[in-house]
Each structure stands twice: as structure tokens, then as C-alpha cells.
Amino acid sequence: MKDTTKHLGLRKKLAESLKNKGIEDVRILKAIESIPRHLFLDSSFEAHAYQDKAFPIGAEQTISQPFTVAFQTQLLQLLETDRVLEIGTGSGYQTAVLLEMKTEVYSIERQHELFRNAKRMLPKLGYHSVSLFFGDGYKGLPEKAPFDKIIVTAGAPEAPKTLLSQLKIGGRMVVPLGVETQVMTLYIRTGIASFDKQTFGDFRFVPMLGDRN
Ligand code: SAH
């Protein structure tokens, strides 16, 4: 588990490139600069960790591309102390970004191998206050709801209704919607049964899977 000045230099470049691609929230750029992404990857990919690319992380899943992580995070408009629900912990990298923004994070992963890795890795990197859950993210966490923000990091065929119901009024949920490719979609809860919906272009995600598949 080594982090060097060379890694830091590469992270600065990565943050700079995300800024050039339209990420304006300096807190996000700072988080990208400080989180050692190479430690979230299999060591065979370490040399490429600071390219703006997705990589395999085992269990047929991927660590999201840094631009995608930054873009989804920016859409959430995070405030310190926000209670945030993340679906798809994966490597835990996006989780770390949320934690760097000083939010209270609850994250669910359905692949046990990835859940176990994230549970081991995040505290090693100093992230002790995170609540990680093994299970089906489609169900959300009714016992911890409502959330100020919800982020889904896998492609959902349609808006997950249970998750929308666990959003506070005024809260925001970011979810990539679609089967082959996904349209980045933001829901803002405007009332008990009303939501504002906005879309933000095409992305590619691994599919969000339910209990049965
Ligand atoms: N944020 C992660 C992205 C991982 S890819 C990262 O950057 O590393 C999406 C993740 O969602 C995968 O780990 C996959 O196993 C998980 N996933 C898919 N369907 C899920 C579900 N129903 N509940 C919880 N996690 C799910």
C-alpha cells in the first residue's frame, strides 16, 4: 500500500483534465487529487490508475471512469452532513469521493467479494465512518431512510421506485437509466408524489442486477 509523489503528480494531472472536461466543483477536484485510486485497483492495472478510464475490479464489475464519478457527484450538489445512499459500492472509490465531501455515507453492494474488499480497504485508507451493506440495492435501506441524496453507480433499466421513495423532499437522486447505454438522469423530489427529472447525456455502466439475476 504505497502512495508516492509520483502518484500525487498523476492525480493532479487527472484532476486538471477533469476540470477541462467541465467539472467545476473544486471540492470534487480536490477529492480526486487526494484519493489514491491506484490502491482501489488490482496491482496489474496500477500503472494506468490515473487515466480517465474504467477498469475491471473482479466479479465482472468495473471501477467507474473518474470523469463519470466526478460528474455524478457534481449532479448531487452535496452539502456537508448530507446523508447519502450509494448503490453499487464496487471498489469503494466513489464511496471515498463522497466521504471526502464530508457526507454521511451508506453504501450497498450485491457482490460479496467486492463488499468484503471495500470493507477491508476503506478503513485502511482512513475512511472509518462509512456504513457498508451487503445486499440488493433495489431495496435501498428503509431503516435509514430518508436520504438527502442517492447515487446509483450501475445502469438501471428504469427508475428504481423504492429508491425514489427513500429520498427526502428536496433531495436529489442520480441514476444512469437504460439497458445498452445509459442516460444520466437526475431526479429532484419536489413533493410527496412529485419529481423533477433532468437528463445529462449518454454513459456506459455495468447493469444493475436484482435478486433474481
Ligand atoms: N462505484 C463503483 C462502481 C462499480 S460498478 C466503483 O467506482 O468502483 C457497479 C457496481 O454495482 C458493481 O460493483 C455491481 O456489483 C453493483 N451492483 C449491481 N447491481 C446491484 C444491486 N442491485 N445492488 C447493489 N449493488 C449492485
Side-chain angles (χ1 to χ4, degrees), residues 57 61-64 69 86-95 108-111 114 135-138 153-154 206-210:
I57 52 172
Q61 305 304 325
T62 54
I63 181 172
S64 299
V69 170
E86 177 188 42
I87 310 302
T89 317
S91 66
Y93 179 74
Q94 168 78 69
T95 321
I108 312 177
E109 172 57 52
R110 76 184 286 281
Q111 297 281 355
L114 299 177
D136 178 12
Y138 270 113
T153 75
V206 294
M208 182 166 173
L209 301 173

Coordinates of all heavy atoms in Angstrom, one line a residue, residues 57 61-64 69 86-95 108-111 114 135-138 153-154 206-210, ligand 1:
I57 N -12.6 -4.8 -11.8 CA -12.3 -4.9 -10.4 C -12.7 -6.3 -9.8 O -12.8 -6.5 -8.6 CB -13.0 -3.8 -9.5 CG1 -14.5 -3.8 -9.8 CG2 -12.4 -2.5 -9.7 CD1 -15.3 -2.9 -8.9
Q61 N -17.2 -6.8 -12.6 CA -17.6 -5.4 -12.4 C -16.4 -4.4 -12.7 O -15.3 -4.9 -13.0 CB -18.0 -5.2 -11.0 CG -19.1 -6.2 -10.5 CD -20.4 -6.1 -11.4 OE1 -20.7 -5.0 -11.9 NE2 -21.0 -7.2 -11.7
T62 N -16.7 -3.1 -12.8 CA -15.7 -2.2 -13.1 C -15.7 -1.0 -12.1 O -16.7 -0.7 -11.5 CB -15.9 -1.6 -14.5 OG1 -17.2 -1.0 -14.6 CG2 -15.7 -2.6 -15.6
I63 N -14.5 -0.4 -11.9 CA -14.4 0.8 -11.2 C -14.8 1.9 -12.2 O -14.3 1.9 -13.4 CB -13.0 1.1 -10.6 CG1 -12.9 2.4 -9.9 CG2 -11.9 1.0 -11.7 CD1 -11.5 2.5 -9.1
S64 N -15.7 2.8 -11.9 CA -16.1 3.8 -12.9 C -15.0 4.7 -13.3 O -14.0 4.9 -12.5 CB -17.3 4.6 -12.3 OG -18.4 3.8 -11.9
V69 N -17.4 9.5 -12.2 CA -17.5 9.6 -10.8 C -17.7 11.1 -10.4 O -18.6 11.5 -9.7 CB -16.3 9.1 -10.1 CG1 -16.2 9.4 -8.6 CG2 -16.2 7.6 -10.3
E86 N -25.5 5.2 -1.5 CA -24.9 4.8 -2.7 C -25.3 3.3 -3.0 O -25.2 2.5 -2.2 CB -23.4 4.9 -2.6 CG -22.6 4.4 -3.8 CD -21.1 4.3 -3.6 OE1 -20.6 3.8 -2.6 OE2 -20.4 4.7 -4.6
I87 N -25.7 3.1 -4.3 CA -26.0 1.7 -4.7 C -24.9 1.3 -5.6 O -24.6 1.9 -6.7 CB -27.3 1.6 -5.5 CG1 -28.5 2.3 -4.7 CG2 -27.7 0.2 -5.8 CD1 -28.7 1.8 -3.3
G88 N -24.1 0.2 -5.3 CA -23.0 -0.3 -6.1 C -21.7 0.2 -5.5 O -21.0 1.1 -6.1
T89 N -21.3 -0.3 -4.3 CA -20.0 0.1 -3.7 C -18.9 -0.2 -4.6 O -17.9 0.7 -4.7 CB -19.8 -0.6 -2.4 OG1 -21.0 -0.7 -1.7 CG2 -18.7 0.0 -1.6
G90 N -18.9 -1.3 -5.3 CA -17.8 -1.7 -6.2 C -16.5 -1.7 -5.5 O -16.3 -2.2 -4.4
S91 N -15.5 -0.9 -6.1 CA -14.2 -0.8 -5.5 C -14.2 0.1 -4.2 O -13.2 0.0 -3.4 CB -13.3 -0.2 -6.5 OG -13.7 1.2 -6.7
G92 N -15.2 0.9 -4.1 CA -15.2 1.8 -2.9 C -14.6 3.2 -3.3 O -14.6 4.1 -2.5
Y93 N -14.2 3.4 -4.6 CA -13.6 4.6 -5.0 C -14.6 5.8 -4.9 O -14.4 6.9 -4.3 CB -13.0 4.5 -6.3 CG -12.3 5.8 -6.8 CD1 -11.1 6.2 -6.3 CD2 -12.9 6.6 -7.8 CE1 -10.5 7.4 -6.7 CE2 -12.4 7.8 -8.2 CZ -11.2 8.2 -7.7 OH -10.6 9.4 -8.1
Q94 N -15.8 5.6 -5.5 CA -16.8 6.6 -5.5 C -17.2 6.9 -4.0 O -17.5 8.0 -3.7 CB -18.0 6.1 -6.3 CG -19.3 7.0 -6.1 CD -19.3 8.3 -6.9 OE1 -19.3 8.3 -8.1 NE2 -19.2 9.4 -6.2
T95 N -17.3 5.8 -3.2 CA -17.6 6.0 -1.8 C -16.6 6.9 -1.1 O -17.0 7.8 -0.4 CB -17.5 4.6 -1.1 OG1 -18.0 3.6 -2.0 CG2 -18.3 4.6 0.2
I108 N -24.4 0.2 -0.6 CA -24.8 -1.2 -0.7 C -24.2 -1.9 -1.9 O -24.1 -1.3 -3.0 CB -26.4 -1.3 -0.9 CG1 -27.1 -0.5 0.1 CG2 -26.8 -2.8 -0.8 CD1 -28.6 -0.5 -0.1
E109 N -23.7 -3.1 -1.7 CA -23.1 -3.9 -2.8 C -23.6 -5.3 -2.8 O -23.7 -5.9 -1.8 CB -21.5 -3.9 -2.7 CG -20.8 -4.8 -3.6 CD -21.0 -4.5 -5.1 OE1 -20.9 -3.3 -5.5 OE2 -21.4 -5.4 -5.8
R110 N -24.0 -5.8 -4.0 CA -24.6 -7.1 -4.0 C -23.6 -8.3 -4.3 O -23.9 -9.4 -4.2 CB -25.7 -7.2 -5.1 CG -25.3 -7.3 -6.5 CD -26.4 -7.2 -7.4 NE -27.2 -8.4 -7.5 CZ -26.9 -9.5 -8.2 NH1 -25.8 -9.6 -8.8 NH2 -27.7 -10.5 -8.2
Q111 N -22.3 -7.9 -4.7 CA -21.3 -9.0 -4.9 C -20.5 -9.1 -3.6 O -19.8 -8.1 -3.2 CB -20.4 -8.6 -6.0 CG -21.0 -8.4 -7.4 CD -21.3 -9.8 -8.0 OE1 -20.8 -10.8 -7.5 NE2 -21.9 -9.8 -9.1
L114 N -16.7 -8.1 -3.6 CA -16.4 -6.7 -3.7 C -16.8 -6.0 -2.4 O -16.1 -5.1 -1.9 CB -17.2 -6.0 -4.8 CG -16.9 -6.6 -6.2 CD1 -17.7 -5.9 -7.3 CD2 -15.4 -6.4 -6.5
G135 N -26.0 -6.6 0.0 CA -27.4 -6.9 -0.3 C -27.9 -6.3 -1.6 O -27.0 -5.9 -2.4
D136 N -29.2 -6.3 -1.8 CA -29.8 -5.8 -3.1 C -30.1 -4.4 -3.0 O -31.1 -4.0 -2.2 CB -31.0 -6.7 -3.4 CG -31.7 -6.2 -4.7 OD1 -31.1 -5.4 -5.4 OD2 -32.8 -6.6 -4.9
G137 N -29.4 -3.6 -3.7 CA -29.6 -2.1 -3.7 C -31.0 -1.7 -4.1 O -31.4 -0.5 -3.8
Y138 N -31.7 -2.5 -4.9 CA -33.0 -2.1 -5.4 C -33.9 -1.8 -4.1 O -34.9 -1.1 -4.2 CB -33.7 -3.2 -6.2 CG -33.4 -3.1 -7.7 CD1 -32.6 -4.0 -8.4 CD2 -33.9 -2.0 -8.4 CE1 -32.3 -3.8 -9.7 CE2 -33.7 -1.9 -9.8 CZ -32.9 -2.8 -10.4 OH -32.6 -2.6 -11.7
T153 N -24.7 3.6 -9.1 CA -23.5 3.5 -9.9 C -23.5 2.3 -10.9 O -22.5 1.9 -11.4 CB -22.2 3.5 -9.1 OG1 -22.0 2.2 -8.5 CG2 -22.2 4.6 -8.0
A154 N -24.7 1.8 -11.1 CA -24.9 0.7 -12.1 C -26.1 1.2 -13.0 O -26.9 1.9 -12.5 CB -25.1 -0.6 -11.5
V206 N -22.0 -0.9 -16.0 CA -22.4 -2.3 -15.9 C -23.9 -2.3 -15.4 O -24.3 -1.4 -14.8 CB -21.5 -3.1 -14.9 CG1 -20.1 -3.2 -15.5 CG2 -21.5 -2.5 -13.5
P207 N -24.6 -3.4 -15.7 CA -26.0 -3.4 -15.3 C -26.3 -3.5 -13.8 O -25.6 -4.2 -13.1 CB -26.6 -4.6 -16.1 CG -25.5 -5.5 -16.4 CD -24.3 -4.6 -16.4
M208 N -27.3 -2.8 -13.4 CA -27.8 -3.0 -12.0 C -28.6 -4.3 -12.0 O -29.6 -4.5 -12.8 CB -28.7 -1.8 -11.6 CG -29.1 -1.9 -10.2 SD -29.8 -0.4 -9.6 CE -30.5 -0.8 -8.0
L209 N -28.3 -5.2 -11.2 CA -28.9 -6.5 -11.1 C -29.8 -6.7 -9.9 O -29.4 -6.2 -8.8 CB -27.9 -7.7 -11.2 CG -27.0 -7.6 -12.4 CD1 -25.9 -8.7 -12.3 CD2 -27.8 -7.9 -13.7
G210 N -30.9 -7.4 -10.0 CA -31.8 -7.6 -8.9 C -31.5 -9.0 -8.3 O -30.6 -9.6 -8.7
Ligands
SAH1 N1 -18.8 3.0 -7.8 C1 -18.2 1.7 -8.2 C2 -18.9 1.2 -9.4 C3 -18.9 -0.2 -9.5 S1 -19.7 -0.8 -10.9 C4 -16.7 2.0 -8.4 O1 -16.4 3.0 -9.0 O2 -15.9 1.1 -8.1 C5 -21.4 -1.0 -10.3 C6 -21.5 -1.9 -9.0 O3 -22.9 -2.0 -8.7 C7 -20.9 -3.3 -9.1 O4 -20.0 -3.4 -8.1 C8 -22.1 -4.2 -9.0 O5 -21.8 -5.4 -8.4 C9 -23.0 -3.3 -8.2 N2 -24.5 -3.7 -8.3 C10 -25.2 -4.1 -9.4 N3 -26.5 -4.3 -9.1 C11 -26.6 -4.0 -7.7 C12 -27.7 -4.0 -6.8 N4 -28.9 -4.4 -7.2 N5 -27.4 -3.7 -5.5 C13 -26.2 -3.3 -5.1 N6 -25.1 -3.3 -5.9 C14 -25.3 -3.6 -7.2

